[in-house]
Amino acid sequence: MQTVVIDNRVVRPSKVVCVGRNYVEHIKELNNEVPDEMKELNNEVPDEMVLFVKPNSAISTELVSFHQEAIHYEAELCFVVENGQFSAVGLGLDLTKRGLQSRLKAKGLPWERAKAFDGSVVFSEFVAIESVSENLTFELMINDVRIQVGNIALMLNKPEEILAEIQSFMSLIDGDIVMTGTPKGVGVVNRDDKFSAKLYDKERLLTQACWTAQ
């Protein structure tokens, strides 16, 4: 079983539950349709919340640039679930076979082959939390250039809404991870690129991670 770390404590997630299309600007850059409920930007969880699952075997410590085809990165705010609530926060890179995903979407087929392959997600270390701060902000730098910036205010579905929606139909085991979607700025992972992700609560650095693409 693959593991993640929370404040030096090792946790074994059974799965990673991911949210798609949770930032309007990212939806636009991929030319995806914005669900009607999302257009209203109200406080209700839309019926069309896009959710998909990565298995434990998807978790890796190595950032790959190629897996049968070119890989795209998506930086995301992530939470560990314990006792039915968010217990820790960190960052992750959702790695995607964009070409394959586009072909699957065009045929109305599931995304797992493009999203849930071995090594399709890497995580920072997680930091324990008592509640979800509204001031969480993250950034992704590639080769010292800021590429992605995200925060809860930009999300169509807020973390607690996402958790409630998942729990309405799926059991979450202690240690499972929820990825909350990516802001604009996704792109191709190039071999030897240096990725640096940082998570802040206001001005306070909570956690960070660095990867060199293989």
Side-chain angles (χ1 to χ4, degrees):
M1 292 283 283
Q2 305 300 316
T3 63
V4 297
V5 175
I6 305 174
D7 292 337
N8 298 316
R9 176 168 60 95
V10 176
V11 175
R12 291 175 173 79
S14 73
K15 59 184 173 294
V16 180
V17 185
C18 307
V19 180
R21 305 181 190 178
N22 201 28
Y23 289 79
V24 171
E25 293 303 318
H26 174 60
I27 294 172
K28 291 178 180 177
E29 73 179 346
L30 293 187
N31 294 317
N32 286 318
E33 179 181 354
V34 182
D36 289 340
E37 287 84 350
M38 290 183 178
K39 292 175 183 176
E40 296 175 8
L41 296 181
N42 57 25
N43 293 322
E44 297 180 0
V45 177
D47 293 338
E48 287 84 357
M49 185 184 293
V50 179
L51 297 169
F52 58 94
V53 175
K54 294 176 183 279
N56 174 274
S57 59
I59 299 172
S60 179
T61 58
E62 182 177 291
L63 174 58
V64 296
S65 60
F66 192 89
H67 190 289
Q68 300 174 331
E69 68 171 72
I71 300 298
H72 284 225
Y73 63 84
E74 300 180 4
E76 307 196 17
L77 181 65
C78 306
F79 295 92
V80 175
V81 177
E82 293 178 293
N83 298 316
Q85 60 188 6
F86 292 138
S87 65
V89 65
L91 296 173
L93 296 182
D94 173 10
L95 303 176
T96 304
K97 298 179 182 179
R98 188 73 71 205
L100 176 57
Q101 183 191 30
S102 296
R103 295 193 298 273
L104 292 171
K105 286 165 60 177
K107 296 177 181 179
L109 296 175
W111 300 353
E112 276 76 8
R113 293 178 66 89
K115 285 281 194 177
F117 56 91
D118 289 355
S120 60
V121 64
V122 294
F123 292 109
S124 69
E125 290 192 7
F126 286 80
V127 178
I129 57 173
E130 294 184 359
S131 61
V132 178
S133 170
E134 296 181 354
N135 300 307
L136 294 174
T137 301
F138 66 92
E139 66 177 19
L140 175 68
M141 309 277 287
I142 302 178
N143 300 326
D144 297 323
V145 178
R146 183 178 289 105
I147 301 297
Q148 288 190 279
V149 177
N151 58 57
I152 291 176
L154 295 174
M155 294 181 183
L156 293 167
N157 302 286
K158 309 307 182 188
E160 295 295 347
E161 296 171 333
I162 294 168
L163 179 61
E165 179 71 5
I166 295 169
Q167 291 175 326
S168 73
F169 72 96
M170 180 189 300
S171 296
L172 291 172
I173 309 302
D174 283 357
D176 284 353
I177 296 173
V178 174
M179 302 185 74
T180 60
T182 193
K184 67 178 181 179
V186 302
V188 177
V189 178
N190 295 303
R191 186 177 179 85
D192 296 327
D193 276 355
K194 298 185 183 305
F195 285 67
S196 173
K198 294 183 179 181
L199 173 62
Y200 298 89
D201 185 355
K202 290 187 177 179
E203 302 298 324
R204 182 166 65 98
L205 178 64
L206 297 182
T207 189
Q208 60 183 321
C210 296
W211 304 274
T212 299
Q214 303 299 311

